[in-house]
Amino acid sequence: MSDQLQITAQVHQAQRYGFLLVPDFSLIGFSSAVEALHMANRLVAQTLYEVVLIGAESSAVQSSCGVEIKTECGYEDVGQLDALILCGPASAQRAEFADLIARLKRLQRNTRLLGGIGTGTYLLACAGLLDGYRATTHWLDLPDFRQEFPLIEATGTLFEIDRDRLTCSGGTAAMDMLLFLIGREHGIELASAISEQFVCERIRASDDPQRVPLKVRLGTQQPNLTEAVMLMEANIEEPLSIDDLASLIGVSRRHLERLFKQHLQAMPSQYYLELRLEKARQQLRSSSHPILQVGLMCGFSSASYFSTSYRNHFGITPRQERRQAQLAEGLLDLQSSFGRSSPQ
């Protein structure tokens, strides 16, 4: 371990992270988060993070796969925390967890950061603790989540860190979220070292897709659909017509539309447009290309068409997207502690 990592760790006080385990919680989400913190301590040979395991009472809580984790304290004995992260169950129903939802409003007063992993996000939302925040949850639950909680900006990203709220989609995304926090607090070198210890190819960004690429999901079962999407991805700047796509693949337009509706729940033109818009968002966030050039690079023939399509899909204009990305980059340079405001 380098001296740089040890020096960086020495200037920070240990953070106290509490994990509230709900019966039937996801073990992979919980362990992905906790192991990242433990590895941070191990690599710098110091206690950067103190982990506190919390349950309804001080006893063992069973995970969804049957493994039990012994908790250290009950809800009422937590004390002050730097972060409280709720590890949700495999399936969460509001009525079933009414008592916990009521307690969350009191528990959040004793922590600087409040977060949820998987359905933990849903329980926080039920308590009204995510209203006005960006938040994410598993892609399967996202449509119902958006409908039930209109006051929450549900994004569908891997994880979201918005001011003093932390949410992630569950599973291994919990590690990505914790690595981001560790990197912000103690430097990207430590976060990268942790990732390497767990043989992770890379630290995923918050807006990396939750779902695996289409060609991996469909494989050889739907070669025509996979080929169509690959042609779309290869022709972003000069989009092909749907008739041209069908001709290149060797099927009728009607058959192609039927494939998209059956497997992707969208018409080919809609899917193609969303693909180009996602590409435009990546460019706006990560490149310095002028906004008009980004639009042209993504197949939009005019600035007005680009702006209107972008606003209809994402709720903000390309100019606002670029401004938010610039503000976020500036804040990350200035902020060295958790829980401060991020741009809306």
Side-chain angles (χ1 to χ4, degrees), residues 25 49 65 92 95 102 145 173 203 205 207 226 228 240 254 270 299 306 328 333:
F25 69 95
Y49 299 97
C65 65
F145 186 87
I203 302 174
D207 56 358
T226 301
L240 299 169
R254 180 174 295 181
Q270 177 190 351
F306 178 39
D333 289 339

Side-chain angles (χ1 to χ4, degrees), residues 35-36 39-40 43 179 182 189-198:
E35 288 293 341
M39 185 57 71
L43 288 177
L179 288 176
I182 292 168
E189 185 181 355
L190 176 56
S192 298
I194 297 169
S195 179
E196 291 175 356
Q197 287 290 321
F198 293 127

